[in-house]
Each structure stands twice: as structure tokens, then as C-alpha cells.
Amino acid sequence: MFRSSAWTRHLVILQDPGVSPNTNGLPGLPEVRTLAGATITFALVTCVVALIISAAAWALGNINGNAHYASKGRIGVLASLGAAILIGSANSLIRFFSGIIIG
């Protein structure tokens, strides 16, 4: 009988195609990297705008006693901060998870 970890390791070894990332095998890769960097910049600027609008809605909702607007503003602030954290750390997260070896 196979142990569970030995069996899993055996399946992973059988399924490994032996392909690794090639940084210079695709024409136009520098342009794609530039496009990705510009997209990250655009997304972060959008998060800043969303944060400003949400904070203003939160403040105006509190001033006017409108709990619905204050609640939506608070959710918008948290969502824009969370999105900025994920967008800003996307490169590090991808680098970390692409280096995990199963087996």
C-alpha cells in the first residue's frame, strides 16, 4: 500500500511537463510588461479617486445623519483600500506563489 504523501508525490512527478518560464521567448514581451505597469498605475489612481469619493460620502452621510450613505461610504473606503493593497502587492504575490513547489 502507498502512503498518501508518497502517492501524491508520485502523481505530481508523473504530471510535471518540465516547462519553465522563458523571459525572452515571446516577441513583444517588454511592451506587455510596460502595459502591465501602466495598468497597475491606472488602477492605483482609480483606487485613490474611489477612496476620496467614498470618504466624502461617509463624512457627508455622518454630517446629515443619513446612515445609508455613511455605511456605503465606509464600505467604499474599505473596498478601495483593500483593492489598493492587492494591486500594489500583485507582483510580490505572483512571485511568491509561482515559486511554490508541490511534492
Side-chain angles (χ1 to χ4, degrees):
M1 281 273 200
F2 287 109
R3 290 189 300 158
S4 177
S5 63
W7 177 250
T8 305
R9 185 172 308 154
H10 181 67
L11 284 176
V12 169
I13 290 171
L14 287 177
Q15 295 174 357
D16 182 20
V19 178
S20 61
N22 184 356
T23 59
N24 57 5
L26 183 65
L29 192 58
E31 288 80 11
V32 172
R33 286 187 180 139
T34 302
L35 180 64
T39 305
I40 289 172
T41 303
F42 180 75
L44 288 174
V45 169
T46 305
C47 286
V48 170
V49 172
L51 179 68
I52 292 169
I53 293 171
S54 297
W58 187 2
L60 290 174
N62 279 336
I63 290 170
N64 293 329
N66 191 335
H68 179 71
Y69 283 142
S71 172
K72 293 297 181 181
R74 190 178 323 122
I75 290 171
V77 166
L78 294 175
S80 60
L81 288 175
I85 289 170
L86 286 175
I87 292 166
S89 63
N91 198 20
S92 299
L93 288 171
I94 297 297
R95 187 180 307 121
F96 173 77
F97 285 111
S98 68
I100 292 177
I101 298 173
I102 300 173

Coordinates of all heavy atoms in Angstrom, one line a residue:
M1 N 0.8 -1.2 0.0 CA 0.0 0.0 0.0 C 0.9 1.2 0.0 O 1.9 1.3 0.7 CB -0.9 0.0 1.3 CG -2.0 -0.9 1.1 SD -3.3 0.1 0.4 CE -4.7 -0.6 0.8
F2 N 0.5 2.2 -0.8 CA 1.2 3.5 -0.8 C 0.7 4.4 0.3 O -0.5 4.4 0.7 CB 0.9 4.3 -2.1 CG 1.6 3.7 -3.3 CD1 1.0 3.0 -4.3 CD2 3.0 3.8 -3.4 CE1 1.6 2.4 -5.3 CE2 3.7 3.2 -4.5 CZ 3.0 2.5 -5.5
R3 N 1.6 5.2 0.9 CA 1.2 6.2 1.8 C 0.7 7.4 1.0 O 1.0 7.5 -0.2 CB 2.4 6.7 2.7 CG 2.8 5.6 3.7 CD 3.8 6.1 4.6 NE 5.0 6.6 3.9 CZ 5.8 7.4 4.4 NH1 5.7 7.9 5.6 NH2 6.9 7.8 3.7
S4 N -0.2 8.2 1.7 CA -0.8 9.3 0.9 C 0.2 10.3 0.3 O 0.0 10.7 -0.8 CB -1.8 10.0 1.9 OG -2.4 11.1 1.3
S5 N 1.2 10.7 1.1 CA 2.1 11.7 0.6 C 3.0 11.1 -0.5 O 3.3 11.8 -1.5 CB 3.0 12.2 1.7 OG 3.8 11.2 2.3
A6 N 3.4 9.8 -0.4 CA 4.2 9.2 -1.4 C 3.4 9.1 -2.7 O 3.9 9.3 -3.8 CB 4.7 7.8 -1.0
W7 N 2.1 8.7 -2.6 CA 1.2 8.6 -3.8 C 1.0 10.0 -4.4 O 1.1 10.1 -5.7 CB -0.1 8.0 -3.3 CG -1.1 7.9 -4.5 CD1 -2.2 8.6 -4.6 CD2 -1.0 7.0 -5.6 NE1 -2.9 8.2 -5.8 CE2 -2.1 7.2 -6.4 CE3 -0.1 6.0 -6.0 CZ2 -2.4 6.6 -7.6 CZ3 -0.4 5.4 -7.2 CH2 -1.5 5.6 -7.9
T8 N 0.8 11.0 -3.7 CA 0.7 12.3 -4.2 C 1.9 12.8 -4.9 O 1.9 13.4 -6.0 CB 0.3 13.3 -3.1 OG1 -0.8 12.9 -2.4 CG2 0.0 14.7 -3.6
R9 N 3.1 12.6 -4.3 CA 4.4 12.9 -4.9 C 4.6 12.2 -6.2 O 5.0 12.8 -7.2 CB 5.5 12.6 -3.9 CG 6.8 13.1 -4.4 CD 7.9 12.9 -3.4 NE 7.4 13.6 -2.2 CZ 7.8 13.3 -1.0 NH1 8.7 12.4 -0.7 NH2 7.3 13.9 0.1
H10 N 4.2 10.9 -6.3 CA 4.3 10.1 -7.5 C 3.4 10.7 -8.6 O 3.9 10.8 -9.7 CB 3.9 8.7 -7.2 CG 4.0 7.8 -8.4 ND1 5.2 7.5 -8.9 CD2 3.1 7.1 -9.1 CE1 5.0 6.6 -10.0 NE2 3.7 6.4 -10.1
L11 N 2.2 11.1 -8.3 CA 1.3 11.7 -9.2 C 1.8 13.0 -9.7 O 1.8 13.4 -10.9 CB -0.1 11.9 -8.7 CG -0.9 10.6 -8.5 CD1 -2.3 11.0 -7.9 CD2 -1.2 10.0 -9.9
V12 N 2.4 13.9 -8.9 CA 2.9 15.2 -9.3 C 4.1 15.0 -10.2 O 4.3 15.7 -11.2 CB 3.3 16.0 -8.0 CG1 4.1 17.2 -8.4 CG2 2.0 16.4 -7.3
I13 N 5.0 14.0 -9.9 CA 6.1 13.8 -10.7 C 5.7 13.3 -12.1 O 6.2 13.7 -13.2 CB 7.1 12.8 -10.1 CG1 7.8 13.4 -8.9 CG2 8.1 12.3 -11.1 CD1 8.5 12.4 -8.0
L14 N 4.7 12.5 -12.2 CA 4.2 12.0 -13.5 C 3.5 13.1 -14.3 O 3.5 13.1 -15.5 CB 3.2 10.9 -13.2 CG 3.7 9.5 -12.8 CD1 2.6 8.5 -12.6 CD2 4.7 9.0 -13.8
Q15 N 2.9 14.1 -13.6 CA 2.2 15.2 -14.3 C 3.1 16.4 -14.6 O 2.6 17.3 -15.3 CB 1.0 15.6 -13.5 CG 0.0 14.5 -13.3 CD -1.1 14.9 -12.3 OE1 -1.1 16.0 -11.8 NE2 -2.1 14.1 -12.2
D16 N 4.3 16.4 -14.2 CA 5.2 17.6 -14.4 C 5.6 17.6 -15.9 O 6.3 16.7 -16.3 CB 6.4 17.5 -13.5 CG 7.3 18.7 -13.7 OD1 6.8 19.7 -14.2 OD2 8.5 18.6 -13.3
P17 N 5.2 18.6 -16.6 CA 5.6 18.6 -18.1 C 7.0 19.1 -18.3 O 7.5 19.0 -19.4 CB 4.6 19.6 -18.7 CG 4.3 20.5 -17.5 CD 4.3 19.7 -16.3
G18 N 7.7 19.6 -17.3 CA 9.1 20.1 -17.4 C 9.2 21.4 -18.1 O 10.2 21.7 -18.7
V19 N 8.2 22.3 -18.1 CA 8.2 23.6 -18.7 C 8.4 24.6 -17.6 O 7.8 24.6 -16.6 CB 6.8 23.9 -19.4 CG1 6.8 25.2 -20.0 CG2 6.5 22.8 -20.4
S20 N 9.3 25.5 -17.9 CA 9.6 26.7 -17.0 C 9.5 28.0 -17.8 O 9.5 28.0 -19.0 CB 11.0 26.5 -16.5 OG 12.0 26.6 -17.5
P21 N 9.2 29.1 -17.0 CA 9.1 30.4 -17.7 C 10.3 30.8 -18.5 O 11.4 30.6 -18.1 CB 8.8 31.3 -16.5 CG 8.4 30.5 -15.4 CD 9.1 29.2 -15.6
N22 N 10.1 31.3 -19.7 CA 11.1 31.8 -20.5 C 10.9 33.3 -20.7 O 9.9 33.8 -21.3 CB 11.0 31.1 -21.9 CG 12.2 31.5 -22.8 OD1 13.0 32.3 -22.5 ND2 12.2 30.9 -24.0
T23 N 11.9 34.1 -20.2 CA 11.7 35.6 -20.2 C 12.0 36.2 -21.6 O 11.7 37.4 -21.7 CB 12.6 36.2 -19.1 OG1 13.9 35.9 -19.4 CG2 12.2 35.7 -17.8
N24 N 12.6 35.5 -22.5 CA 12.9 36.2 -23.8 C 12.4 35.3 -25.0 O 12.8 35.5 -26.1 CB 14.4 36.4 -23.9 CG 15.2 35.1 -23.7 OD1 14.6 34.0 -23.6 ND2 16.5 35.2 -23.7
G25 N 11.4 34.5 -24.8 CA 11.0 33.6 -25.9 C 9.8 34.2 -26.6 O 9.3 33.6 -27.6
L26 N 9.2 35.3 -26.1 CA 8.0 35.8 -26.7 C 8.3 37.2 -27.3 O 8.7 38.1 -26.5 CB 6.9 35.9 -25.7 CG 5.5 36.4 -26.1 CD1 4.9 35.4 -27.1 CD2 4.6 36.5 -24.9
P27 N 8.0 37.4 -28.6 CA 8.3 38.8 -29.1 C 7.2 39.7 -28.5 O 6.1 39.4 -28.4 CB 8.1 38.6 -30.6 CG 7.4 37.3 -30.8 CD 7.6 36.5 -29.6
G28 N 7.7 40.9 -28.2 CA 6.8 41.9 -27.6 C 6.6 41.9 -26.1 O 5.8 42.6 -25.6
L29 N 7.4 41.0 -25.5 CA 7.3 40.9 -24.0 C 7.6 42.2 -23.3 O 6.9 42.5 -22.3 CB 8.1 39.7 -23.5 CG 7.9 39.3 -22.1 CD1 6.5 38.9 -21.9 CD2 8.8 38.1 -21.7
P30 N 8.6 43.0 -23.7 CA 8.8 44.3 -23.0 C 7.6 45.2 -23.1 O 7.3 45.9 -22.1 CB 10.0 44.8 -23.7 CG 10.7 43.7 -24.3 CD 9.7 42.7 -24.6
E31 N 6.9 45.2 -24.2 CA 5.7 46.0 -24.4 C 4.6 45.6 -23.5 O 3.9 46.4 -22.9 CB 5.3 46.1 -25.8 CG 6.2 46.8 -26.8 CD 7.4 46.0 -27.2 OE1 7.4 44.8 -27.0 OE2 8.3 46.7 -27.8
V32 N 4.5 44.3 -23.3 CA 3.4 43.7 -22.4 C 3.7 44.1 -21.0 O 2.8 44.5 -20.2 CB 3.3 42.2 -22.6 CG1 2.4 41.6 -21.5 CG2 2.8 41.8 -24.0
R33 N 5.0 44.1 -20.6 CA 5.4 44.5 -19.2 C 5.1 46.0 -19.0 O 4.7 46.4 -18.0 CB 6.9 44.2 -19.0 CG 7.2 42.7 -18.8 CD 8.6 42.5 -18.4 NE 8.9 41.1 -18.2 CZ 9.9 40.5 -18.6 NH1 10.9 41.1 -19.2 NH2 10.1 39.2 -18.4
T34 N 5.4 46.8 -20.0 CA 5.1 48.2 -19.9 C 3.6 48.4 -19.8 O 3.1 49.2 -19.0 CB 5.6 48.9 -21.2 OG1 7.0 48.7 -21.3 CG2 5.4 50.4 -21.1
L35 N 2.8 47.7 -20.6 CA 1.4 47.8 -20.5 C 0.8 47.4 -19.1 O 0.0 48.0 -18.6 CB 0.7 46.9 -21.6 CG -0.8 46.9 -21.7 CD1 -1.3 48.3 -22.0 CD2 -1.3 45.9 -22.7
A36 N 1.4 46.3 -18.6 CA 1.0 45.8 -17.2 C 1.3 46.9 -16.2 O 0.5 47.2 -15.3 CB 1.7 44.5 -16.9
G37 N 2.5 47.5 -16.3 CA 2.9 48.6 -15.3 C 2.0 49.8 -15.4 O 1.6 50.4 -14.4
A38 N 1.6 50.1 -16.7 CA 0.7 51.2 -16.9 C -0.7 50.9 -16.3 O -1.4 51.8 -15.7 CB 0.6 51.6 -18.3
T39 N -1.1 49.7 -16.5 CA -2.4 49.2 -15.9 C -2.4 49.3 -14.4 O -3.4 49.7 -13.8 CB -2.7 47.8 -16.4 OG1 -2.7 47.8 -17.8 CG2 -4.1 47.4 -15.9
I40 N -1.3 48.9 -13.8 CA -1.2 49.0 -12.3 C -1.3 50.4 -11.9 O -2.0 50.8 -10.9 CB 0.1 48.3 -11.8 CG1 0.0 46.8 -12.0 CG2 0.4 48.7 -10.4 CD1 1.3 46.1 -11.7
T41 N -0.6 51.3 -12.6 CA -0.7 52.7 -12.2 C -2.1 53.3 -12.4 O -2.6 54.0 -11.5 CB 0.3 53.5 -13.1 OG1 1.6 53.0 -13.0 CG2 0.3 55.0 -12.8
F42 N -2.8 53.0 -13.5 CA -4.1 53.4 -13.7 C -5.1 52.9 -12.6 O -5.9 53.6 -12.1 CB -4.6 53.0 -15.1 CG -6.0 53.4 -15.4 CD1 -6.3 54.7 -15.7 CD2 -7.1 52.5 -15.3 CE1 -7.6 55.1 -16.0 CE2 -8.4 52.9 -15.6 CZ -8.6 54.2 -15.9
A43 N -4.9 51.6 -12.2 CA -5.7 51.0 -11.2 C -5.5 51.7 -9.8 O -6.5 51.9 -9.1 CB -5.5 49.5 -11.1
L44 N -4.3 52.0 -9.5 CA -4.0 52.6 -8.2 C -4.5 54.1 -8.2 O -5.1 54.5 -7.2 CB -2.5 52.6 -7.9 CG -1.9 51.3 -7.6 CD1 -0.4 51.3 -7.4 CD2 -2.5 50.8 -6.3
V45 N -4.5 54.8 -9.3 CA -5.1 56.1 -9.3 C -6.6 56.0 -9.2 O -7.2 56.8 -8.5 CB -4.7 56.8 -10.7 CG1 -5.5 58.1 -10.9 CG2 -3.2 57.1 -10.7
T46 N -7.2 55.0 -9.8 CA -8.6 54.8 -9.6 C -9.0 54.5 -8.2 O -10.0 55.0 -7.7 CB -9.1 53.7 -10.6 OG1 -8.7 53.9 -11.9 CG2 -10.6 53.5 -10.5
C47 N -8.1 53.7 -7.5 CA -8.4 53.5 -6.1 C -8.3 54.7 -5.2 O -9.1 54.9 -4.3 CB -7.4 52.4 -5.6 SG -7.7 50.8 -6.1
V48 N -7.4 55.6 -5.6 CA -7.3 56.9 -4.8 C -8.5 57.7 -5.1 O -9.1 58.3 -4.1 CB -6.0 57.7 -5.3 CG1 -6.0 59.1 -4.7 CG2 -4.8 56.9 -4.8
V49 N -9.0 57.8 -6.3 CA -10.2 58.6 -6.6 C -11.4 57.9 -5.8 O -12.3 58.6 -5.2 CB -10.5 58.6 -8.1 CG1 -11.9 59.2 -8.4 CG2 -9.4 59.4 -8.8
A50 N -11.5 56.6 -5.9 CA -12.6 55.9 -5.2 C -12.5 56.2 -3.7 O -13.6 56.3 -3.0 CB -12.6 54.4 -5.5
L51 N -11.3 56.2 -3.1 CA -11.2 56.5 -1.7 C -11.6 57.9 -1.3 O -12.3 58.1 -0.3 CB -9.7 56.3 -1.3 CG -9.4 56.5 0.2 CD1 -10.0 55.5 1.0 CD2 -7.9 56.5 0.4
I52 N -11.3 58.8 -2.2 CA -11.7 60.2 -1.9 C -13.2 60.4 -2.0 O -13.8 61.0 -1.1 CB -11.0 61.2 -2.9 CG1 -9.5 61.2 -2.6 CG2 -11.6 62.6 -2.8 CD1 -8.7 61.9 -3.7
I53 N -13.8 59.8 -3.0 CA -15.3 59.9 -3.1 C -16.0 59.2 -2.0 O -17.0 59.7 -1.4 CB -15.7 59.3 -4.5 CG1 -15.2 60.3 -5.6 CG2 -17.2 59.2 -4.6 CD1 -15.4 59.7 -7.0
S54 N -15.5 58.0 -1.6 CA -16.1 57.2 -0.5 C -15.9 57.9 0.8 O -16.9 57.9 1.6 CB -15.5 55.8 -0.5 OG -15.7 55.1 -1.7
A55 N -14.8 58.5 1.0 CA -14.6 59.2 2.3 C -15.5 60.4 2.4 O -16.1 60.7 3.5 CB -13.1 59.6 2.4
A56 N -15.7 61.1 1.3 CA -16.6 62.2 1.2 C -18.0 61.8 1.5 O -18.8 62.4 2.3 CB -16.5 63.0 -0.1
A57 N -18.5 60.7 0.9 CA -19.8 60.2 1.1 C -20.0 59.7 2.6 O -21.0 60.0 3.2 CB -20.1 59.0 0.2
W58 N -19.0 59.1 3.2 CA -19.0 58.7 4.6 C -19.2 60.0 5.5 O -20.0 60.0 6.4 CB -17.7 58.0 4.9 CG -17.7 57.3 6.2 CD1 -18.6 57.3 7.2 CD2 -16.6 56.6 6.8 NE1 -18.2 56.6 8.3 CE2 -16.9 56.1 8.0 CE3 -15.3 56.2 6.3 CZ2 -16.1 55.4 8.8 CZ3 -14.5 55.5 7.0 CH2 -14.9 55.0 8.3
A59 N -18.4 61.0 5.2 CA -18.4 62.2 6.0 C -19.7 62.9 5.9 O -20.4 63.3 6.9 CB -17.3 63.1 5.7
L60 N -20.2 63.1 4.6 CA -21.5 63.8 4.4 C -22.7 63.0 5.0 O -23.6 63.6 5.5 CB -21.7 64.0 2.9 CG -20.8 65.1 2.3 CD1 -21.0 65.2 0.8 CD2 -21.0 66.4 3.0
G61 N -22.6 61.6 4.9 CA -23.6 60.8 5.5 C -23.7 61.0 7.0 O -24.8 61.0 7.6
N62 N -22.5 61.1 7.6 CA -22.5 61.3 9.1 C -23.0 62.7 9.5 O -23.7 62.8 10.4 CB -21.1 61.0 9.6 CG -20.8 59.6 9.8 OD1 -21.7 58.8 10.0 ND2 -19.5 59.2 9.8
I63 N -22.6 63.7 8.7 CA -23.0 65.0 9.0 C -24.5 65.2 8.9 O -25.1 65.8 9.7 CB -22.2 66.0 8.1 CG1 -20.8 66.1 8.5 CG2 -22.9 67.4 8.2 CD1 -19.9 66.9 7.5
N64 N -25.1 64.6 7.8 CA -26.5 64.8 7.6 C -27.4 63.8 8.3 O -28.6 63.8 8.2 CB -26.8 64.6 6.1 CG -26.2 65.8 5.3 OD1 -26.1 66.9 5.8 ND2 -25.8 65.5 4.1
G65 N -26.7 62.8 9.0 CA -27.5 61.8 9.8 C -28.1 60.7 8.9 O -29.0 60.1 9.3
N66 N -27.5 60.6 7.7 CA -28.0 59.5 6.8 C -27.1 58.3 6.9 O -26.0 58.2 6.4 CB -28.0 60.1 5.3 CG -28.7 59.2 4.4 OD1 -28.9 58.0 4.6 ND2 -29.2 59.8 3.3
A67 N -27.6 57.3 7.6 CA -26.9 56.1 7.9 C -26.6 55.3 6.7 O -25.5 54.6 6.6 CB -27.6 55.3 8.9
H68 N -27.5 55.3 5.7 CA -27.3 54.6 4.5 C -26.0 55.1 3.7 O -25.2 54.3 3.3 CB -28.5 54.6 3.6 CG -28.4 53.9 2.3 ND1 -28.4 52.5 2.3 CD2 -28.2 54.3 1.0 CE1 -28.2 52.1 1.0 NE2 -28.2 53.2 0.2
Y69 N -26.0 56.4 3.5 CA -24.8 57.0 2.8 C -23.5 56.8 3.6 O -22.5 56.5 3.0 CB -25.0 58.5 2.5 CG -25.9 58.7 1.4 CD1 -26.8 59.8 1.4 CD2 -26.0 57.9 0.2 CE1 -27.7 60.1 0.4 CE2 -26.8 58.2 -0.8 CZ -27.7 59.2 -0.7 OH -28.5 59.5 -1.8
A70 N -23.6 56.9 4.9 CA -22.4 56.7 5.7 C -21.9 55.3 5.6 O -20.7 55.0 5.5 CB -22.7 57.1 7.2
S71 N -22.9 54.3 5.6 CA -22.5 52.9 5.5 C -21.9 52.6 4.2 O -20.9 51.9 4.1 CB -23.7 52.1 5.8 OG -23.5 50.7 5.5
K72 N -22.5 53.1 3.1 CA -21.9 52.9 1.8 C -20.6 53.5 1.6 O -19.7 53.0 1.0 CB -22.9 53.4 0.7 CG -24.2 52.6 0.6 CD -23.9 51.1 0.3 CE -25.3 50.4 0.2 NZ -25.1 49.0 -0.1
G73 N -20.4 54.7 2.2 CA -19.1 55.4 2.1 C -18.0 54.6 2.9 O -16.9 54.4 2.4
R74 N -18.4 54.0 4.0 CA -17.5 53.2 4.8 C -17.1 52.0 4.1 O -15.9 51.6 4.0 CB -18.1 52.9 6.2 CG -17.2 52.2 7.1 CD -17.8 51.9 8.5 NE -18.8 52.9 8.9 CZ -20.1 52.7 9.1 NH1 -20.6 51.5 9.0 NH2 -20.9 53.7 9.5
I75 N -18.0 51.3 3.4 CA -17.7 50.1 2.6 C -16.8 50.5 1.5 O -15.9 49.8 1.1 CB -19.0 49.4 2.2 CG1 -19.7 48.8 3.4 CG2 -18.8 48.4 1.1 CD1 -21.1 48.3 3.1
G76 N -17.1 51.6 0.8 CA -16.3 52.1 -0.3 C -14.8 52.4 0.1 O -13.9 52.1 -0.6
V77 N -14.7 53.0 1.3 CA -13.3 53.2 1.8 C -12.6 51.9 2.0 O -11.4 51.8 1.6 CB -13.4 54.1 3.1 CG1 -12.0 54.0 3.8 CG2 -13.8 55.5 2.8
L78 N -13.2 51.0 2.7 CA -12.6 49.7 2.9 C -12.3 48.9 1.6 O -11.2 48.3 1.5 CB -13.4 48.8 3.9 CG -13.6 49.4 5.3 CD1 -14.5 48.5 6.1 CD2 -12.2 49.4 6.0
A79 N -13.2 49.0 0.7 CA -13.0 48.3 -0.6 C -11.9 48.9 -1.4 O -11.0 48.2 -2.0 CB -14.3 48.3 -1.4
S80 N -11.8 50.2 -1.4 CA -10.7 50.9 -2.2 C -9.4 50.6 -1.5 O -8.4 50.5 -2.2 CB -11.0 52.4 -2.4 OG -11.1 53.0 -1.1
L81 N -9.3 50.6 -0.2 CA -8.1 50.3 0.5 C -7.6 48.9 0.2 O -6.5 48.6 0.0 CB -8.2 50.6 2.0 CG -8.2 52.1 2.4 CD1 -8.5 52.2 3.9 CD2 -7.0 52.8 2.0
G82 N -8.6 48.0 0.3 CA -8.3 46.5 0.0 C -7.8 46.3 -1.4 O -6.9 45.6 -1.7
A83 N -8.5 47.0 -2.4 CA -8.1 46.9 -3.8 C -6.7 47.4 -4.0 O -5.9 46.8 -4.7 CB -9.1 47.6 -4.7
A84 N -6.4 48.6 -3.3 CA -5.0 49.1 -3.5 C -4.0 48.2 -2.9 O -2.9 48.1 -3.5 CB -5.0 50.5 -2.8
I85 N -4.3 47.6 -1.8 CA -3.3 46.6 -1.2 C -3.1 45.5 -2.1 O -1.9 45.1 -2.4 CB -3.8 46.2 0.2 CG1 -3.7 47.3 1.2 CG2 -3.0 44.9 0.6 CD1 -4.4 47.0 2.5
L86 N -4.1 44.9 -2.7 CA -4.0 43.8 -3.6 C -3.3 44.2 -4.9 O -2.4 43.4 -5.4 CB -5.3 43.2 -3.9 CG -6.0 42.3 -2.8 CD1 -7.4 41.9 -3.2 CD2 -5.1 41.1 -2.5
I87 N -3.6 45.3 -5.5 CA -3.0 45.8 -6.7 C -1.5 46.1 -6.5 O -0.6 45.7 -7.3 CB -3.7 47.0 -7.3 CG1 -5.1 46.6 -7.7 CG2 -2.9 47.6 -8.4 CD1 -6.0 47.8 -8.0
G88 N -1.2 46.7 -5.4 CA 0.2 47.1 -5.1 C 1.1 45.9 -4.8 O 2.3 45.9 -5.1
S89 N 0.5 44.8 -4.2 CA 1.3 43.7 -3.9 C 1.1 42.5 -4.9 O 1.6 41.4 -4.7 CB 0.9 43.2 -2.5 OG -0.5 42.7 -2.5
A90 N 0.5 42.8 -6.0 CA 0.2 41.8 -7.0 C 1.5 41.1 -7.5 O 1.6 39.9 -7.6 CB -0.5 42.3 -8.2
N91 N 2.5 41.9 -7.8 CA 3.8 41.4 -8.3 C 4.4 40.4 -7.3 O 4.9 39.4 -7.6 CB 4.7 42.5 -8.7 CG 5.8 42.1 -9.6 OD1 5.8 41.0 -10.3 ND2 6.9 42.9 -9.7
S92 N 4.5 40.9 -6.1 CA 5.1 40.0 -5.0 C 4.3 38.8 -4.8 O 4.8 37.7 -4.5 CB 5.2 40.8 -3.7 OG 6.0 42.0 -3.9
L93 N 2.9 38.9 -4.8 CA 2.1 37.7 -4.6 C 2.3 36.7 -5.7 O 2.4 35.5 -5.5 CB 0.6 38.1 -4.5 CG 0.2 38.8 -3.3 CD1 -1.3 39.4 -3.5 CD2 0.2 37.9 -2.1
I94 N 2.4 37.1 -7.0 CA 2.6 36.2 -8.1 C 4.0 35.6 -8.0 O 4.1 34.4 -8.2 CB 2.4 37.0 -9.4 CG1 1.0 37.5 -9.6 CG2 2.8 36.1 -10.6 CD1 0.0 36.4 -9.6
R95 N 5.0 36.4 -7.6 CA 6.3 35.8 -7.5 C 6.4 34.8 -6.4 O 7.0 33.7 -6.5 CB 7.3 37.0 -7.2 CG 8.8 36.5 -7.2 CD 9.8 37.6 -6.9 NE 9.6 38.7 -7.8 CZ 9.3 40.0 -7.3 NH1 9.2 40.2 -6.0 NH2 9.2 41.0 -8.1
F96 N 5.7 35.0 -5.2 CA 5.7 34.1 -4.1 C 5.0 32.8 -4.5 O 5.5 31.7 -4.3 CB 5.0 34.7 -2.9 CG 4.8 33.7 -1.8 CD1 5.8 33.4 -1.0 CD2 3.5 33.2 -1.6 CE1 5.7 32.5 0.1 CE2 3.4 32.2 -0.5 CZ 4.4 31.9 0.3
F97 N 3.8 32.9 -5.1 CA 3.0 31.7 -5.4 C 3.6 30.9 -6.6 O 3.3 29.7 -6.8 CB 1.6 32.0 -5.6 CG 0.9 32.3 -4.3 CD1 0.4 33.5 -4.0 CD2 0.7 31.2 -3.3 CE1 -0.2 33.8 -2.7 CE2 0.1 31.5 -2.1 CZ -0.4 32.8 -1.8
S98 N 4.3 31.6 -7.5 CA 4.9 30.8 -8.6 C 6.1 30.1 -8.2 O 6.5 29.1 -8.9 CB 5.3 31.8 -9.8 OG 6.3 32.6 -9.4
G99 N 6.7 30.4 -7.0 CA 7.9 29.6 -6.6 C 7.5 28.5 -5.7 O 8.5 27.8 -5.2
I100 N 6.3 28.2 -5.4 CA 5.9 27.1 -4.5 C 6.0 25.8 -5.3 O 5.6 25.7 -6.4 CB 4.4 27.3 -4.0 CG1 4.3 28.4 -3.1 CG2 4.0 26.0 -3.3 CD1 2.9 28.7 -2.6
I101 N 6.7 24.8 -4.7 CA 6.9 23.5 -5.3 C 6.1 22.5 -4.6 O 6.1 22.4 -3.4 CB 8.4 23.1 -5.3 CG1 9.3 24.1 -6.0 CG2 8.6 21.7 -5.8 CD1 10.7 23.9 -5.9
I102 N 5.2 21.9 -5.4 CA 4.3 20.8 -4.8 C 5.1 19.5 -4.9 O 5.5 19.1 -5.9 CB 3.0 20.8 -5.6 CG1 2.3 22.1 -5.5 CG2 2.1 19.7 -5.0 CD1 1.1 22.2 -6.3
G103 N 5.1 18.8 -3.8 CA 5.7 17.5 -3.9 C 6.5 17.1 -2.8 O 7.0 17.5 -1.8

